[in-house]
Amino acid sequence: MDAGGRPTLDEIEDRFVGLVAGRLARDEADRWAARWVTEDGIVWDDLSWWALNRLYGIDLPAGLAAATCTTTNRCGHGSLS
């Protein structure tokens, strides 16, 4: 965690590594990211915000909903912009 109590980029990356290695369930990664994406008042750097938004919703199945999301609307878990 950084001085403000937010996860660092390395900690966010560790969640992706845990997913790929099978040490972290998709649902767990989603819930962890949801806490940070939905928290108001936190200013993120662009890369951290992008990565958190990839984790938030990672437990959703691919399908029609994923195909219809665009950068101009909000999907089930945050925006894709």
Side-chain angles (χ1 to χ4, degrees):
M1 298 287 169
D2 69 5
R6 302 177 309 180
T8 63
L9 187 56
D10 286 338
E11 290 170 310
I12 297 169
E13 180 182 4
D14 286 344
R15 300 294 168 151
F16 283 104
V17 172
L19 282 165
V20 171
R23 294 187 309 264
L24 184 65
R26 288 177 178 247
D27 183 58
E28 186 179 348
D30 170 72
R31 284 183 279 126
W32 180 84
R35 186 255 188 262
W36 299 108
V37 170
T38 60
E39 182 74 28
D40 289 334
I42 298 178
V43 177
W44 297 96
D45 63 89
D46 289 340
L47 184 55
S48 294
W49 183 244
W50 176 86
L52 282 169
N53 275 282
R54 297 291 116 3
L55 285 173
Y56 185 37
I58 200 157
D59 63 333
L60 296 174
L64 181 58
T68 59
C69 291
T70 68
T71 58
T72 59
N73 67 6
R74 290 187 65 84
C75 301
H77 284 302
S79 77
L80 296 176
S81 57

